[in-house]
Amino acid sequence: VDDLLILSRLDSGRMTLERAAVSLDGLLMDVERQMGRVAESTGVMLSASAEPGEARGDTTRLRQVLLILLDNALRHTPSGGTIRLEGRRSARRYQITVSDTGVGIAAEHLPHVFERFYRADAARTARPNQNNSGLGLSIARALIQAHGGQIEIVSTVGKGTRVTLSLPMSQAP
């Protein structure tokens, strides 16, 4: 229900983002520390690296996006796999990449992964989660777009998935 409310508010333009200066590198390293124990408990190695960069945004909502992406990566990466969280400056934008060595997403599913309630074949899930509503990536895309950013996903079955976020930086590097 909370996820539907968030999407409804984003659709109607009624979601207020609490914009402030956000240290994106600090946020990435904080999220890595937060999710590191979860990854370790599932036998997945999570690592992070980030160049300094700052944007004007809502820290809580940007954290939510990263947690959605890491949750998806953990769900689809079997024990012994790796997840990498990276942040780097690119011109006046900051790119955040979440890449995994998981089961990947078939090409026919890629055009639909940001659609609400869409779930690719359950057989590709390394760790099934009964609570998966199929709204996470829709929320992530809507929140990134509300920040003036973009999100894209590239995946290969059997090799893994890479999700890249691009956010406008608040000041030139």
Side-chain angles (χ1 to χ4, degrees):
V1 172
D2 288 337
D3 289 347
L4 287 171
L5 286 172
I6 288 170
L7 284 169
S8 174
R9 288 183 186 131
L10 285 163
D11 286 348
S12 67
R14 291 182 306 173
M15 172 159 283
T16 304
L17 296 177
E18 301 295 327
R19 293 186 187 267
V22 178
S23 165
L24 296 171
D25 52 304
L27 178 62
L28 265 61
M29 300 314 286
D30 187 45
V31 168
E32 187 264 341
R33 279 188 296 276
Q34 180 181 352
M35 293 297 290
R37 290 188 185 121
V38 175
E40 187 178 313
S41 73
T42 63
V44 174
M45 186 177 117
L46 172 62
S47 62
S49 64
E51 294 177 357
E54 186 176 279
R56 279 200 55 75
D58 186 320
T59 303
T60 301
R61 296 304 178 184
L62 291 173
R63 178 184 304 277
Q64 180 179 8
V65 169
L66 294 173
L67 292 175
I68 288 168
L69 298 179
L70 287 172
D71 178 64
N72 280 346
L74 281 168
R75 191 176 310 119
H76 301 293
T77 302
S79 182
T82 60
I83 298 171
R84 183 90 178 121
L85 181 60
E86 295 178 275
R88 65 180 180 88
R89 294 183 308 266
S90 176
R92 299 182 67 79
R93 300 188 73 77
Y94 195 86
Q95 289 189 328
I96 299 170
T97 304
V98 177
S99 55
D100 66 56
T101 59
V103 295
I105 303 167
E108 67 266 19
H109 294 294
L110 283 174
H112 306 288
V113 295
F114 293 110
E115 294 174 9
R116 293 174 190 184
F117 303 111
Y118 187 83
R119 295 196 283 184
D121 180 12
R124 74 175 204 88
T125 303
R127 273 182 238 14
N129 179 348
Q130 301 289 339
N131 298 325
N132 181 12
S133 65
L135 292 173
L137 288 175
S138 295
I139 291 169
R141 179 178 62 180
L143 286 171
I144 290 301
Q145 288 174 341
H147 280 85
Q150 300 160 344
I151 184 170
E152 64 180 37
I153 189 165
V154 176
S155 188
T156 304
V157 173
K159 297 210 184 261
T161 301
R162 184 178 70 242
V163 180
T164 303
L165 311 174
S166 176
L167 294 165
M169 291 179 49
S170 57
Q171 52 193 1

